[in-house]
Amino acid sequence: MDFLLECIGFPPNHDLGSLAALVRERGESVAWRGPSGTHLRLPLGGGVEVRLDREDGQAHETLWPCFDVQNRLRVAFQRAQPLPDSPYDMLLHGIANPPLPTVGDGKPEWDDGPGLDYALATYIWDARRLPRRLPVGHVLALSVCGFALDVSYIGPNTGVRDPFILEEPRGAALLPVASDVNPGGCMELSLRVRHVRHSVNPLTGEPVERIEADAPGRPLDLFVSRWQREADGQPAPRPGWRIEGAFLFTGRVSGGLPARRPRRAHASPFG
């Protein structure tokens, strides 16, 4: 994920070895990352962080961007995949904004609401908080954001790739995708821009653009590499415009955990 550091203001030619040394020197331990290896965070202000991970027995370190999202998104759990090289992470698949249960005629029903649900795939970095067995359909609260892998369009809504998207709830399209180019946890997005929050990376002095996108149910925070969009001839995002592209989602569990029970042998949600 080193190249995703561009999304939080580290230029493509930044010395990652020096950055890793700085995180080791000044970083704080990360909760829920496990007792083995090195797991540190270096806050950069405004909820933006650099994370460093190295598992015991591994020769390489991983640097990746992180944002402490405050919005909670309701996600109905579908399945999870373990990550062999990172045992404290998992790739979670679910349905965002699932319909709420209601009661009618003395029996449970489901309120379909305005049809704001969509499939979501995201990496969760505090997977140790989850029980080993999590039933399909259990609703978690997740705080997640997306980092740009590839941005295909930034501009007025008249340039939307498929006109039918404008008729969808919130004028949005979101679809998990996985391929040789885009890893699991990647979402293909077409979203309206609500706000653009500007900050500065204190280590590099480079600007950071945080986009609040108008997704169904709850807005989503997105980060884009300025160097990537300039190389691709894309303008700076503006409120009211649209952004389209592939984003890698990461985040944490922020609620909805079932009550803990006495430990006993049972199946893992990782299958």
Side-chain angles (χ1 to χ4, degrees), residues 3-28:
F3 70 96
L4 294 178
L5 293 172
E6 294 179 25
C7 293
I8 58 171
F10 290 98
N13 60 354
H14 193 81
D15 185 346
L16 297 183
S18 296
L19 178 58
L22 186 65
V23 177
R24 288 194 299 271
E25 176 186 348
R26 302 183 185 176
E28 308 166 356

Side-chain angles (χ1 to χ4, degrees), residues 87-107:
Y88 308 118
D89 295 294
M90 75 175 183
L91 175 57
L92 184 146
H93 297 264
I95 301 296
N97 307 314
L100 294 170
T102 62
V103 176
D105 298 328
K107 61 181 180 180

